[in-house]
């Protein structure tokens, strides 16, 4: 029994890890306060779910989810190119509201608030991943591949350019670096990984609706990035485990039924406050939060 | 010298950071260990002979009111059964109405070897249907839309969408009401009830002259109701998921002097504390039998005595579900299949909302009645 529970938690950790490192790439490494990240997750989930429900193979659904989210990432980069800090955060937040409104109101396609139930589990090369363990293997492979790609990007000369734009965009441009192109690529790549995380989420939970992709759902992902430390991939790994496991650990604490829900939330919030008091830059943060 | 001092300071800083890291990790490890120890030492784990119910309810968030009243109802039933010598265990988990959290809660409840799962709200229940069926663990859903596709191990204990609309349309005066407008909350509950209203109106030859949705939590209904006023309807039917979504349109209708009868579909105005928030005189609502004292008087009295407040509409569902499980198992542990067969074997169930038929398709639908508010009290509407 405990194995099934652990497998389930590891799957969620894997999915949220992909989502968090993709946000880390944009926010931590490139300094883009992208509050529309959850919309890419939603676009990926809906693309994958709609294709899967139409009978397309998982591989097509999965790749399409990433590509569709990436296209929206590039599109978002165009109007937000000259925005920074709070202004960029507000603009990208607006984008997530627009995507939510579309998912909610384009009922012919998305079924609106009724959501999409019965999303099939992946079938890869004739092998069905209907049991959670095989799904965990798939998630682990994709999470590792995502980490590897993002790690390589950040360690490459291009990675230094994106960090230089975060630290001083004007200086980078004076040195001949095309900041618009760089930021567009980063938003696109970041959106791609959020999209594939969305595809995994839809295939695993088997039900999605617009409420799963609101700005409130971005909060835990943002927390992982901040607690892990900006521009730190290893910090993101640790933070994903810790922040996903604390609420689960609290399930084992026997509170009276009358206070069970709020009490867990209070303790979770207190732990986060304590972590951030002692580690204001997160576990392995390299840059200050602006 | 300066270099050496800097280096010394750097080493001290690093030591301090390491020490802080240790504290944070120690805190998390203590919490995890405490959890595991609590779990392994839990004496409830040894109660292998009694039936264990896992309740996945929204105990936090915007829909917490439903979860809390369901839990209160379940606890009341448990207490009563214990007095009769029937023991059962209920484990509560918070879903916050979110599918992901509901699945995590379900996996956690499996660790506690629960025999049956009770879930509330459509969003979280929809994610549980396939896994419960796969694990062959019976799942009873309540406060959920009828649009959820059920599987063999899933039952739904709640009025169906037609039941809500039927309550009014079975007694509606078709000569008085020729044109109606429909306002509904834009969620799965609102949409399914709006569809049921339109279907019923068509059958009765009543014209739906205007329909519009509003987002959950909307505060300002002025714009929508101004458009409604232009269509000059005989009645305005409102489907809201929370009391505020009923009180808001009703208040605004009076402010705009929109002279049409107000019909509320989802029982909110049948609750006294909700009715007292504004002038509801002459408005129509739906009510469960226990509210109308047609049944469940004992439940209402005991609930009020225990919690010091009148039961919210969801409370009797929690109470009845626990009693239903208890009747089907006699408090003893049985397999999922046997439990399901026993529930179906009951055929009918004497609930706090009258006697209900347990249908072969897994539907257990309590009746609803159309009522009018006269001098602050509920008066049943008859055809």
């Amino acid at each position: 029994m405990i194995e099934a529970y652990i497998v389930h938690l590891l799957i969620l950790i894997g999915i949220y890890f992909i989502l968090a490192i993709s946000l880390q790439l944009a926010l931590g490494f490139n300094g883009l306060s992208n509050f529309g990240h959850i919309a890419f997750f939603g676009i990926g989930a809906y693309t994958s779910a709609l294709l899967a429900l139409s009978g397309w193979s998982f591989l097509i659904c999965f790749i399409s989810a990433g590509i569709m989210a990436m296209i929206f990432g590039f599109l978002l980069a165009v109007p937000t190119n000259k925005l920074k800090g709070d202004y960029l955060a507000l603009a990208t937040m607006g984008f997530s509201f627009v995507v939510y409104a579309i998912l909610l109101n384009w009922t012919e396609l998305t079924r609106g608030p009724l959501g999409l139930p019965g999303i099939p589990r992946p079938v890869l090369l004739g092998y069905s991943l209907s049991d959670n363990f095989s799904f965990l293997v798939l998630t682990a492979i994709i999470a590792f591949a995502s980490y590897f790609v993002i790690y390589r990007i950040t360690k490459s000369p291009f990675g230094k350019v994106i960090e230089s734009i975060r630290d001083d965009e004007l200086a980078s441009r004076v040195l001949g670096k095309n900041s618009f192109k760089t930021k567009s690529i980063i938003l696109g790549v970041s959106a791609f990984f959020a999209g594939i995380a969305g595809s995994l989420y839809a295939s695993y939970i088997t039900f999605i609706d617009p409420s799963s992709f609101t700005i409130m759902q971005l909060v835990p992902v943002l927390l992982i990035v901040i607690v892990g430390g900006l521009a730190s991939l290893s910090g993101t790994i640790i933070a994903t485990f810790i922040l996903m496991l604390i609420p689960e650990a609290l399930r084992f604490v026997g509170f009276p039924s009358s206070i069970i829900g709020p009490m867990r939330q209070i303790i979770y919030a207190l732990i986060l406050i304590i972590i951030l008091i002692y580690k204001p830059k997160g576990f392995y943060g390299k840059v200050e939060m602006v | 010298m300066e270099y050496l001092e800097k280096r010394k300071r750097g080493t001290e800083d690093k030591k301090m950071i390491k020490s802080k890291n240790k504290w944070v990790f120690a805190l998390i490890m203590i919490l995890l260990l405490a959890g595991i120890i609590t779990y392994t030492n839990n004496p409830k784990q040894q109660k292998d002979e009694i039936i264990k119910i896992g309740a996945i309810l929204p105990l936090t968030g915007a829909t917490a009111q439903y979860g809390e009243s369901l839990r209160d109802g379940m606890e009341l039933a448990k207490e009563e059964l214990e007095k009769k010598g029937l023991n059962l265990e209920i484990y509560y988990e918070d879903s916050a109405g979110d599918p992901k959290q509901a699945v995590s809660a379900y996996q956690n409840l499996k660790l506690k070897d629960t025999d049956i799962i009770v879930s509330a709200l459509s969003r979280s229940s929809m994610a549980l249907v396939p896994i419960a069926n796969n694990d062959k663990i019976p799942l009873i859903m309540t406060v959920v839309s009828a649009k959820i596709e059920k599987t063999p191990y899933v039952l739904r204990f709640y009025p169906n969408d037609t039941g809500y609309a039927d309550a009014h349309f079975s007694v509606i005066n078709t000569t008085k009401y020729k044109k109606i407008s429909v306002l509904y909350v834009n969620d799965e509950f609102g949409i399914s009830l709006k569809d049921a209203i339109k279907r019923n109106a068509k059958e009765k030859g009543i014209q739906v002259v205007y329909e519009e949705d509003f987002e959950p939590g909307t505060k300002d209904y002025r714009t929508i109701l101004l458009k409604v006023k232009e269509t000059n309807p005989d009645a305005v039917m409102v489907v809201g998921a929370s009391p505020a979504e009923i009180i808001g349109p009703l208040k605004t209708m009076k402010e705009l002097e929109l002279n049409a009868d107000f019909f509320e579909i989802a029982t909110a105005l049948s609750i006294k504390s909700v009715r007292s928030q504004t002038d509801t005189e002459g408005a129509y609502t739906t009510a469960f039998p226990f509210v109308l004292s047609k049944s469940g008087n004992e439940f209402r009295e005991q609930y009020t005595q225990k919690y010091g407040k009148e039961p919210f509409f969801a409370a009797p569902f929690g109470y009845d579900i626990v009693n239903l499980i208890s009747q089907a198992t006699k408090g003893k542990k049985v397999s999922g299949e046997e439990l399901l067969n026993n529930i179906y074997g009951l055929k009918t169930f004497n609930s706090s909302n009258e006697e209900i038929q347990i249908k072969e398709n897994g539907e257990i639908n309590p009746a609803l009645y159309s009522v009018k508010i006269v001098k602050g009290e509920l008066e049943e509407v008859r055809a």
Side-chain angles (χ1 to χ4, degrees):
Chain A
M1 271 316 183
I2 189 97
E3 300 83 18
Y5 183 50
I6 291 169
V7 165
H8 161 75
L9 292 180
L10 289 174
I11 291 170
L12 285 184
I13 286 169
I15 293 169
Y16 271 77
F17 172 67
I18 301 169
L19 193 56
I21 51 162
S22 57
L23 181 62
Q24 184 69 274
L25 181 67
L27 179 65
F29 287 94
N30 202 204
L32 299 170
S33 314
N34 178 15
F35 282 18
H37 201 65
I38 200 73
F40 300 135
F41 184 57
I43 290 166
Y46 265 89
T47 306
S48 178
L50 288 167
L51 289 174
L53 289 168
S54 309
W56 291 86
S57 75
F58 175 72
L59 212 56
I60 302 274
C61 302
F62 180 74
I63 294 166
S64 307
I67 291 172
M68 187 61 88
M70 187 167 70
I71 291 168
F72 277 93
F74 285 134
L75 288 175
L76 181 64
V78 177
T80 58
N81 172 34
K82 291 188 177 170
L83 300 177
K84 277 184 191 169
D86 300 345
Y87 299 97
L88 178 64
L90 281 174
T92 49
M93 200 190 289
F95 171 72
S96 75
F97 291 146
V98 170
V99 171
Y100 171 73
I102 291 170
L103 296 178
L104 191 69
N105 294 301
W106 193 357
T107 47
E108 294 82 7
L109 182 73
T110 63
R111 286 182 19 113
L114 298 173
L116 297 172
I119 301 162
R121 278 292 183 90
V123 178
L124 270 177
L125 309 167
Y127 181 69
S128 171
L129 307 182
S130 54
D131 68 297
N132 283 2
F133 185 75
S134 50
F135 198 93
L136 172 64
V137 174
L138 173 77
T139 310
I141 292 168
I142 295 165
F144 182 76
S146 306
Y147 175 81
F148 181 73
V149 171
I150 291 175
Y151 176 80
R152 294 301 302 166
I153 290 172
T154 57
K155 294 295 170 193
S156 68
F158 178 71
K160 298 298 155 204
V161 175
I162 62 170
E163 285 189 79
S164 74
I165 290 170
R166 175 198 65 205
D167 294 338
D168 195 334
E169 187 174 346
L170 185 62
S172 306
R173 287 170 71 180
V174 168
L175 289 169
K177 304 298 175 193
N178 186 338
S179 65
F180 170 61
K181 192 176 156 189
T182 310
K183 287 200 277 190
S184 304
I185 292 170
I186 290 304
L187 260 184
V189 173
S190 162
F192 175 85
F193 285 106
I196 61 170
S199 172
L200 286 174
Y201 177 83
S203 311
Y204 179 61
I205 300 290
T206 72
F207 167 75
I208 53 168
D209 72 338
S211 306
S212 302
F213 310 106
T214 60
I215 195 80
M216 285 311 289
Q217 309 301 319
L218 181 69
V219 174
V221 189
L222 205 56
L223 270 174
I224 291 172
V225 172
I226 293 167
V227 170
L230 289 181
S232 164
L233 292 181
S234 47
T236 313
I237 299 174
I238 294 169
T240 312
F241 272 90
I242 290 174
L243 293 193
M244 296 295 286
L245 289 180
I246 290 174
E248 295 305 322
L250 289 170
R251 286 189 197 276
F252 294 103
V253 183
F255 295 114
S257 65
S258 55
I259 53 162
I260 197 166
M263 204 59 203
R264 284 176 184 170
Q265 287 198 338
I266 290 168
I267 293 177
Y268 183 58
L270 280 175
I271 292 169
L272 285 179
I273 291 168
I274 292 167
I275 292 175
L276 288 172
I277 286 172
Y278 280 91
K279 305 288 295 174
K281 281 165 78 176
F283 286 125
Y284 296 103
K286 289 173 186 164
V287 286
E288 292 278 1
M289 275 290 287
V290 180
Chain B
M1 280 298 282
E2 202 178 314
Y3 167 75
L4 283 175
E5 268 179 28
K6 263 189 184 174
R7 200 172 155 180
K8 197 179 163 190
R9 266 206 308 273
T11 321
E12 278 169 3
D13 282 352
K14 275 182 189 168
K15 272 184 188 169
M16 210 168 77
I17 288 168
K18 274 186 182 172
S19 156
K20 281 181 182 174
N21 266 340
K22 276 180 193 166
W23 276 106
V24 172
F25 281 115
L27 183 79
I28 291 156
M29 289 316 293
I30 288 167
L31 193 80
L32 282 168
L33 273 173
I36 292 162
I37 290 164
T38 313
Y39 170 67
T40 48
N41 288 342
N42 193 347
K44 286 167 189 168
Q45 296 296 315
Q46 290 153 15
K47 294 180 183 174
D48 285 337
E49 293 307 308
I50 60 168
I51 191 91
K52 291 174 183 170
I53 303 169
I56 303 173
L57 310 173
L59 298 170
T60 54
T63 47
Q65 192 180 10
Y66 301 104
E68 283 168 3
S69 53
L70 279 163
R71 178 202 57 207
D72 290 348
M74 292 176 91
E75 280 297 299
L76 182 64
K78 187 188 166 204
E79 213 175 274
E80 280 180 23
L81 289 166
E82 275 171 359
K83 279 179 196 163
K84 290 177 193 166
L86 270 172
N87 288 321
L88 45 81
E89 202 63 55
I90 308 174
Y91 298 102
Y92 297 96
E93 282 298 337
D94 181 20
S95 69
D98 174 56
K100 174 171 63 67
Q101 289 199 48
V103 175
S104 290
Y106 173 88
Q107 296 291 355
N108 186 279
L109 286 170
K110 266 174 72 180
L111 288 181
K112 290 162 184 157
D113 198 22
T114 44
D115 304 290
I116 186 163
I117 301 287
V118 177
S119 78
L121 300 189
S122 304
R123 284 187 72 219
S124 34
S125 299
M126 273 199 244
L128 297 176
V129 169
I131 46 174
N133 196 59
N134 202 34
D135 292 338
K136 297 190 171 166
I137 296 178
L139 169 71
I140 302 182
M141 309 181 293
T142 188
V143 198
V144 291
S145 160
K147 297 221 171 194
I148 299 183
E149 275 184 36
K150 291 194 303 297
T151 48
Y153 276 80
V154 177
L155 298 120
R156 205 180 73 93
F157 197 132
Y158 202 56
N160 57 25
D161 306 344
T162 320
Y164 273 106
D166 275 355
H168 283 316
F169 280 95
S170 61
V171 291
I172 201 164
N173 184 345
T174 47
T175 48
K176 186 179 175 189
Y177 301 106
K178 298 274 185 207
K179 294 189 294 178
I180 60 166
S181 292
V182 184
L183 305 186
Y184 60 97
V185 61
N186 193 9
D187 63 12
E188 84 290 333
F189 177 73
I191 289 176
S192 50
L193 260 66
K194 179 259 299 181
D195 290 343
I197 290 171
K198 284 176 75 179
R199 210 168 39 240
N200 270 278
K202 197 177 172 186
E203 281 169 16
K204 294 272 178 184
I206 298 168
Q207 195 190 354
V208 177
V209 286
Y210 186 79
E211 62 172 90
E212 188 158 337
D213 61 53
F214 56 85
E215 292 309 308
T218 297
K219 301 273 186 289
D220 183 11
Y221 297 89
R222 194 166 276 268
T223 314
I224 303 176
L225 285 166
L226 276 170
K227 287 192 256 177
V228 170
K229 196 178 177 182
E230 278 182 22
T231 62
N232 196 24
D234 301 316
V236 177
M237 289 200 168
V238 179
V239 185
S242 70
E245 290 163 7
I246 304 300
I247 296 294
L250 184 56
K251 268 185 179 172
T252 314
M253 265 181 72
K254 293 198 188 291
E255 281 165 19
L256 296 175
E257 293 174 351
L258 204 166
N259 296 318
D261 283 345
F262 184 89
F263 282 77
E264 186 261 317
I265 305 291
T267 75
L269 292 180
S270 69
I271 303 160
K272 213 171 205 169
S273 56
V274 178
R275 280 205 302 279
S276 61
Q277 288 177 29
T278 189
D279 176 18
T280 55
E281 194 59 25
Y284 292 83
T285 184
T286 49
F288 285 107
F290 92 97
V291 177
L292 297 171
S293 289
K294 282 176 178 282
S295 61
N297 284 338
E298 201 183 329
F299 158 75
R300 203 172 48 226
E301 272 168 29
Q302 281 168 352
Y303 187 97
T304 315
Q305 200 179 347
K306 183 171 164 69
Y307 299 107
K309 59 183 177 187
E310 63 169 325
F312 188 57
F313 81 88
F317 291 98
Y319 179 83
D320 289 338
I321 287 171
V322 171
N323 278 318
L324 175 71
I325 295 167
S326 155
Q327 272 190 34
T329 60
K330 308 279 181 239
K332 285 189 182 141
K333 203 173 180 68
V334 287
S335 72
E337 201 180 342
E338 205 179 334
L339 206 163
L340 211 60
N341 287 336
N342 289 353
I343 291 175
Y344 282 115
L346 294 172
K347 299 221 186 283
T348 55
F349 172 63
N350 197 12
S351 78
S352 31
N353 282 308
E354 296 182 332
E355 191 177 85
I356 318 173
Q357 195 193 345
I358 299 164
K359 294 177 190 161
E360 282 176 7
N361 61 0
E363 287 283 324
I364 308 169
N365 311 128
L368 273 164
Y369 292 87
S370 177
V371 288
K372 188 177 181 181
I373 300 164
V374 181
K375 292 177 186 166
E377 295 301 323
L378 302 175
E379 200 173 86
E380 195 183 330
V381 180
R382 293 180 197 279

